[in-house]
Amino acid sequence: MVTGASMGIGEAIAKIFADQGAKVVMLSRDAGRVEAARGRIGQSELTLAMTCDVRHREDIDRALGLTLHHFQRIDIWVNNAGHGLLDSVAQMEMAAFREMFETNFFGAVAAMQAVIPVMRQQGGGTIINISSVAGHIPLPFHAGYSATKFALNAIGKAAGVELKKDGIHVLTVCPGYVRTQFGENVVLGNEQKKVRPDSVRGITAERVARATLQGYRKQKREVIVPWTMYVPVKIYQHFPGLVERAMERMAK
């Protein structure tokens, strides 16, 4: 089951797992867009498309119930639904900030709480949280978004320890810049600066999907993609001032 599966990383993950023969349930708030994504994947016998707004627990429970009816079990749940907010801490609207947390973080936690009992009963499973390198390095003017991903990283890794005895594995995937429609769907606030260099093109959603599949197969606790992003993450952990000065220069 993949949330936010109507485009981008979610669609790419749904496709790569379906191509491996998995039965995939694609979830999105927009019924038309997720059905269109299902058509693009082209594995109609292996896929189902359903509407699900992760901000509402009843939507999650309904999707779980229908999936169990069709497939009897849920081996993998992918928390991918989310969006960004471009604004400064000083000026961002609290309503927009809270709404982003509802989707990016609380929706993911609600989904985990819904699927964990199912996985416990069936003897195991895997939860995959699609986070971001922004969950390791806080981005100026994307601080709200970074906060949702820092929180997702923390809860996923703690849950992994809690659930290991139940045979439930938790994988956190942290992509760097990805060439998707994410930027087009960012909520624009009052102060719209950016720190991304114009020279950085980003990786494809398909590359993130491949890294996710590999991380799942190897039962990793975290995957950072591309691997080159490990370098700035480690530099920030040990020398945060260097990274912060670079971001300060790039902010425009």
Side-chain angles (χ1 to χ4, degrees):
M1 300 186 73
V2 185
T3 69
S6 64
M7 65 178 70
I9 293 172
E11 179 181 340
I13 289 174
K15 184 179 189 311
I16 201 168
F17 275 95
D19 287 347
Q20 297 298 311
K23 299 180 178 73
V24 181
V25 178
M26 303 171 65
L27 306 175
S28 171
R29 284 187 285 187
D30 191 310
R33 286 165 70 169
V34 75
E35 194 60 56
R38 178 173 176 259
R40 289 192 295 271
I41 287 174
Q43 298 273 16
S44 58
E45 72 285 358
L46 292 175
T47 57
L48 286 176
M50 297 184 195
T51 56
C52 178
D53 186 337
V54 296
R55 296 174 299 177
H56 305 304
R57 176 61 187 264
E58 60 270 22
D59 275 22
I60 297 170
D61 290 337
R62 179 183 55 80
L64 276 173
L66 288 170
T67 299
L68 289 170
H69 175 74
H70 281 282
F71 300 128
Q72 286 73 59
R73 61 184 292 120
I74 299 167
D75 294 297
I76 306 169
W77 180 283
V78 182
N79 280 314
N80 173 70
H83 68 269
L85 171 63
L86 180 59
D87 209 345
S88 65
V89 173
Q91 296 196 56
M92 66 182 177
E93 299 286 345
M94 286 304 297
F97 183 43
R98 291 178 191 277
E99 197 282 328
M100 182 173 58
F101 249 97
E102 286 292 339
T103 299
N104 295 15
F105 179 68
F106 291 116
V109 177
M112 291 171 71
Q113 290 189 333
V115 78
I116 285 168
V118 175
M119 291 182 172
R120 277 177 168 157
Q121 187 173 22
Q122 68 192 20
T126 299
I127 296 168
I128 301 175
N129 291 330
I130 306 301
S131 182
S132 172
V133 169
H136 285 283
I137 304 173
L139 294 178
F141 306 101
H142 286 279
Y145 174 75
S146 283
T148 68
K149 296 305 185 179
F150 267 80
L152 189 61
N153 285 359
I155 208 156
K157 290 170 185 177
V161 177
E162 296 172 2
L163 298 169
K164 190 172 184 179
K165 67 183 185 302
D166 299 308
I168 301 172
H169 181 68
V170 182
L171 165 64
T172 300
V173 179
C174 296
Y177 298 122
V178 185
R179 297 196 301 272
T180 67
Q181 293 174 292
F182 179 86
E184 298 172 20
N185 297 314
V186 165
V187 176
L188 300 177
N190 299 298
E191 195 166 358
Q192 299 172 23
K193 295 187 179 182
K194 65 176 184 177
V195 295
R196 176 181 173 177
D198 292 330
S199 59
V200 176
R201 294 184 62 247
I203 59 174
T204 64
E206 288 72 25
R207 185 168 177 184
V208 179
R210 290 194 299 270
T212 301
L213 177 62
Q214 185 179 46
Y216 164 72
R217 284 177 166 164
K218 294 184 176 181
Q219 293 285 279
K220 291 190 174 183
R221 61 187 289 277
E222 182 178 56
V223 170
I224 295 177
V225 57
W227 66 267
T228 52
M229 292 305 297
Y230 277 99
V231 176
V233 167
K234 290 300 179 184
I235 291 174
Y236 183 77
Q237 288 173 351
H238 296 284
F239 306 101
L242 287 176
V243 179
E244 289 169 0
R245 283 194 292 275
M247 289 190 291
E248 188 176 347
R249 287 194 300 270
M250 287 187 291
K252 58 183 180 179

